[in-house]
Amino acid sequence: MNSASEFEPMRGRPHDDGEPTPVKIVVSGGFGVGKTTFVGAASEIAPVRTEEVLTDRSVGVDDLSGTVDKATTTVAMDFGRISLREQLVLYLFGTPGQQRFWFMWDDLVRGAIGAVILVDTRRLIDSFPVIDYFERTNIPFVIAVNGFDGDFPYAHEHLREALALDARRPMVDCDARDTTSATRTLIAVVEHALANRHTAAPVPAPGRNG
Amino acid sequence: MTPGEPSSNRASPLVRPYVLTGGRTADEVVMPPETLVRATGRSPAASFSAPSAAALSALREGISGPVFEPGDEGFAVEQAGSFGAPAHRPLAVVGARTSDDVRSAVEFAAEHGLPVAVQSTGHGNLSNTDGALLISTRRMRRLEIDRRQRSVKVAAGVIWRDVIDEAAPYRLAPVCGSAPSVGVIGYTLGGGLSPLGRTYGFSADYVRKIEVVTADGYRRLVDGDHEPDLFWAMRGGKGNFGVVTAMEFGLVDEPELYGGGLYYDGKDAEAVLRSYVRWAPLLPATMTTSIALLGSTAGLQLPGASAACPLVHLRIAHIGTVEQGSALLTPMRSVATPLLDTVAQRPFTSIAEVHEDPTTPIAADKRGGVLTELTDDTVSALLTTMNTSAKPVLFVELRQLGGAFHRYGSDIGSVGHRDAAYSVYVVSAPIDAGSSVSGSTRLLEAIAPWAAGGVPVNFLGSANAPADVARAWDADTHHRLIGIKQAWDPDNMFRFGYPLIAPPRQVSPEAAELLRRCQEATSVAELAASLGLPLGVVRVLLADLVEAGMVNTYRFDPERAADTQLLGEVLDELRKRV
């Protein structure tokens, strides 16, 4: 223990060598689309899951020591980490799937530099509400078509049409199990965020019927 | 909720079921899961359990003086001291009679991990001593004059009156405080702005030796040759370093005192103060002066005084002949007709007549500062605040510094702000439930343009948090004091009164585990996962640790999500990985 740091921190603390910066990218998509797999592939650590415990507001709040009773629900979130350089760490968070927890997404996407929306071409309809959600935020996002076993049967233009996406919305193919592929997808997100930076207005959302 | 509708107003009935120790809920803690957390290095309090009844009775047996526990007859009186400190609930009060008693008490405290508070007359502003061991030194009234050495050795509980009276037969005098009922030790450890200070300097400048029981339970004699750092620190660093059991300091030849006070009617306040502004800077160091405004509730009734106005009280202590003194005072005697003039040649034993400090304690908010100059504008700001503040100011005092106060040298202690021109001390009604700012704070704000930003440690008054205490010295002196404090009292046993270091807090086992895991910057999500605790729990634990100064959190500023340079760096680093 550095004893010089015991006193009231009035002037800078001696062993505060610069402020670390956490950045994050959110990985979203419909249920079972491969979010957990993607986060695990891109992450330098084994995929980790953290939990948020929620309770019905009407039950009231319990104290820390209180036991988790029947009125509570546990929501799991996958996350991963990529240490980019000293003091710069990228975190990946998979959005919790069930729709009733979407209010938690607001917390999660706040401050994200971008998002990946994974799409399974066999279940496009599952992606609609997710895309709707992100279009209503200002978070730059890319559509990543998760081709299982390198299988990408549909051309991007068809998917774009089916998903009612603007022509400028980036779309990439990826294999959620593959580290390089997942990393390339993240690169696409950051590139888009940089490009988006120059065309400040969010991409308008055409009508979409789920 | 309709999917796809950002629920920024959080309409969901679901909440995180945790509350902070401060009563806030986890939902109020803004701490996204990627927030990085790093321990600051400040440690939590070592956990301790209150000593057993058997241990306490062993303490009683080892102390020659009385030991009071809550509920014992005399506990309240002993705890409050003669100046009526607020009622706290220390674990026990040791009524020390000897330095051995003090040593036994400190040893006992060290053994049980207890913090130690010290009090003699209780003129200091003792912070909350709940659970501490309070050592009351007021029974230790021995003193010995050494005529040949022109010095006195006083035990911990001696008051200025004792020294003044004992020294007088030898035609010697202490460089004492304005109020003889104040304890010598606490006053001197804080420097001591004597009413003779322009002639003689700070009371602390006269200290030759200090006998102190340090946190390790040893009694030490410190002086210029023995533990000189500690000796330096204690002459101005207040009670942070140990329990003083005795102090030896030099006396001066009994001064030829021409002193007393001039009281002016409040309607003359502006004229008197403006004259003082011009008159005081021209005075030689043989004259020490101060000027006070006494609010209407001061209780001093003088015939002919205008009821609603504050009285002006000019205090004079001149060392020299009556002729010299009265010549110097002539301008102030003629600026307005004083309601009362007590300035005269007088024996040194009546030094209390110079300030006529009140001797009855009042519950009040007290604050101080130092000024670099005093101008007509300062006077206007002072009077305007005094007369218009909704929060009444009871008392404002400006003491002229300079002269021997200004002395610097390698032989002097750690007293701060020696170069200030004036000190200021303000007393107002305590902060009540309806307000967060006291009258004294308002007044100090009004004269801030002339303030140097510091405050004499003995005038800190109610402002006794370590951040306030730091203002009693320049940054270098404060830094050196902190270093010496850490060397001599690493566990911060002496943390009451005007503490240099904030007391450590105790934390829960979960929080202690969190602290262990964030020695390097770690995200909230990782901490939660590795501890197997829900995010909400971890947020709450962390919020408490942040408040206790034990961890720093580094959140990503959402504004930076569009920071081109940052995005560029992220992109470069990601590209290196494919």
Side-chain angles (χ1 to χ4, degrees), chain A residues 16 27 32 58 65-66 88 94 123 138 154 156 180 191 201 208:
Chain A
D16 251 23
V27 180
S58 60
S65 58
L88 183 61
R123 288 182 293 170
N138 281 324
Y154 303 100
H156 281 185
T180 306
E191 283 171 342
R208 183 179 297 110

Side-chain angles (χ1 to χ4, degrees), chain A residues 1 3 6 8 11 13 15 24 51-52 55 57 81 83-85 91 102-103 106-107 136 191 197, chain B residues 4 7 10 13 15-17 34 40-43 478 486 526 535-536 539 552 562 573 575 577:
Chain A
M1 176 77 46
S3 65
E6 285 267 317
E8 188 73 359
R11 296 167 256 281
R13 295 170 202 100
H15 67 300
K24 71 177 160 187
E51 289 181 340
E52 187 78 293
T55 190
R57 193 182 288 277
R81 181 184 71 200
S83 302
L84 296 176
R85 64 165 70 151
Y91 284 94
W102 278 30
F103 77 95
D106 296 348
D107 278 356
R136 283 162 206 266
E191 283 171 342
R197 165 79 188 81
Chain B
S7 56
R10 189 168 285 143
V15 294
R16 300 175 179 92
E34 75 279 9
T40 58
R42 174 186 269 187
S43 2
H478 181 243
Q486 285 168 338
E526 281 165 286
L535 274 173
R539 283 198 184 96
N552 286 332
E573 294 298 328
R575 279 177 175 155
R577 283 166 171 75

Side-chain angles (χ1 to χ4, degrees), chain B residues 291-317:
Chain B
I291 194 159
L293 294 168
L294 312 179
S296 50
T297 54
L300 191 73
Q301 300 299 327
L302 290 178
S306 315
C309 296
L311 280 174
V312 184
H313 181 196
L314 175 64
R315 296 84 158 259
I316 303 293

Side-chain angles (χ1 to χ4, degrees), chain B residues 97-389:
Chain B
R97 283 195 204 286
T98 65
S99 60
D100 276 341
D101 284 353
V102 172
R103 194 167 44 77
S104 302
V106 171
E107 271 177 359
F108 177 83
E111 193 179 320
H112 295 277
L114 298 170
V116 171
V118 188
Q119 181 162 274
S120 66
T121 60
H123 280 83
N125 204 76
L126 203 57
S127 36
N128 192 333
T129 56
D130 290 357
L133 192 65
L134 175 60
I135 300 176
S136 170
T137 60
R138 65 195 184 120
R139 289 168 184 76
M140 298 170 68
R141 292 282 282 268
R142 267 176 65 99
L143 72 86
E144 279 169 46
I145 307 272
D146 185 331
R147 188 179 192 173
R148 209 164 46 79
Q149 297 289 329
R150 300 201 320 149
S151 68
V152 61
K153 182 177 175 184
V154 302
V158 167
I159 63 172
W160 283 119
R161 171 95 276 144
D162 301 342
V163 185
I164 294 165
D165 290 349
E166 294 283 329
Y170 301 100
R171 307 202 54 82
L172 294 170
V175 177
C176 59
S178 58
S181 60
V182 171
V184 170
I185 303 296
Y187 178 88
T188 306
L189 293 177
L193 282 162
S194 172
L196 315 168
R198 283 170 46 83
T199 314
Y200 296 106
F202 285 91
S203 304
D205 296 349
Y206 288 80
V207 177
R208 295 182 187 174
K209 284 186 169 63
I210 301 174
E211 204 179 272
V212 57
V213 176
T214 44
D216 51 14
Y218 283 89
R219 187 167 52 216
R220 300 164 191 281
L221 193 63
V222 302
D223 60 19
D225 297 321
H226 305 91
E227 311 300 352
D229 272 1
L230 190 56
F231 185 55
W232 170 84
M234 294 183 76
R235 287 175 296 155
K238 213 60 183 169
N240 281 286
F241 305 94
V243 188
V244 173
T245 52
M247 185 183 270
E248 187 184 313
F249 56 91
L251 300 171
V252 298
D253 288 328
E254 186 179 47
E256 187 180 356
L257 177 63
Y258 175 75
L262 292 176
Y263 289 88
Y264 303 92
D265 193 302
K267 67 177 166 48
D268 296 324
E270 181 148 10
V272 171
L273 282 164
R274 283 173 184 264
S275 297
Y276 183 78
V277 163
R278 283 161 187 75
W279 172 74
L282 303 174
L283 293 175
T286 49
M287 188 176 265
T288 304
T289 73
S290 61
I291 194 159
L293 294 168
L294 312 179
S296 50
T297 54
L300 191 73
Q301 300 299 327
L302 290 178
S306 315
C309 296
L311 280 174
V312 184
H313 181 196
L314 175 64
R315 296 84 158 259
I316 303 293
H318 179 257
I319 311 303
T321 64
V322 177
E323 292 72 27
Q324 291 165 336
S326 62
L328 287 169
L329 194 53
T330 303
M332 292 309 291
R333 278 191 164 128
S334 56
V335 63
T337 308
L339 298 170
L340 180 65
D341 182 345
T342 69
V343 183
Q345 186 170 33
R346 54 175 71 247
F348 187 76
T349 47
S350 67
I351 182 75
E353 303 300 316
V354 173
H355 274 243
E356 290 193 88
D357 287 325
T359 50
T360 45
I362 48 163
D365 186 76
K366 305 163 194 169
R367 288 168 201 277
V370 287
L371 304 182
T372 51
E373 60 171 346
L374 190 58
T375 68
D376 284 349
D377 290 341
T378 327
V379 168
S380 303
L382 247 168
L383 288 173
T384 306
T385 314
M386 196 77 183
N387 295 329
T388 61
S389 177

Side-chain angles (χ1 to χ4, degrees), chain A residues 7-181:
Chain A
F7 65 96
E8 188 73 359
M10 288 287 292
R11 296 167 256 281
R13 295 170 202 100
H15 67 300
D16 251 23
D17 39 10
E19 297 205 350
T21 305
V23 294
K24 71 177 160 187
I25 291 177
V26 172
V27 180
S28 195
F31 182 75
V33 73
K35 298 188 290 283
T36 306
T37 311
F38 182 97
V39 169
S43 174
E44 70 193 13
I45 52 173
V48 192
R49 179 161 280 216
T50 182
E51 289 181 340
E52 187 78 293
V53 176
L54 302 168
T55 190
D56 200 292
R57 193 182 288 277
S58 60
V59 176
V61 290
D62 204 347
D63 69 358
L64 251 180
S65 58
T67 50
V68 175
D69 60 27
K70 291 191 191 70
T72 62
T73 310
T74 301
V75 188
M77 257 191 300
D78 299 302
F79 74 92
R81 181 184 71 200
I82 304 173
S83 302
L84 296 176
R85 64 165 70 151
E86 190 79 15
Q87 313 288 30
L88 183 61
V89 192
L90 172 63
Y91 284 94
L92 304 174
F93 287 96
T95 52
Q98 305 96 313
Q99 288 181 4
R100 59 184 292 235
F101 304 126
W102 278 30
F103 77 95
M104 286 180 57
W105 290 26
D106 296 348
D107 278 356
L108 211 51
V109 302
R110 191 172 297 128
I113 59 172
V116 177
I117 298 179
L118 285 171
V119 170
D120 181 346
T121 52
R122 295 164 302 185
R123 288 182 293 170
L124 282 184
I125 199 167
D126 289 356
S127 315
F128 288 6
V130 180
I131 295 170
D132 276 341
Y133 176 90
F134 278 92
E135 281 181 344
R136 283 162 206 266
T137 70
N138 281 324
I139 307 294
F141 67 92
V142 302
I143 304 294
V145 183
N146 192 10
F148 295 91
D149 302 316
D151 184 18
F152 297 99
Y154 303 100
H156 281 185
E157 62 212 74
H158 293 135
L159 291 171
R160 210 178 276 286
E161 196 176 323
L163 292 169
L165 288 169
D166 186 89
R168 288 167 293 172
R169 176 64 59 195
M171 185 178 283
V172 297
D173 291 330
C174 88
D175 181 344
R177 298 164 305 179
D178 180 67
T179 300
T180 306
S181 178

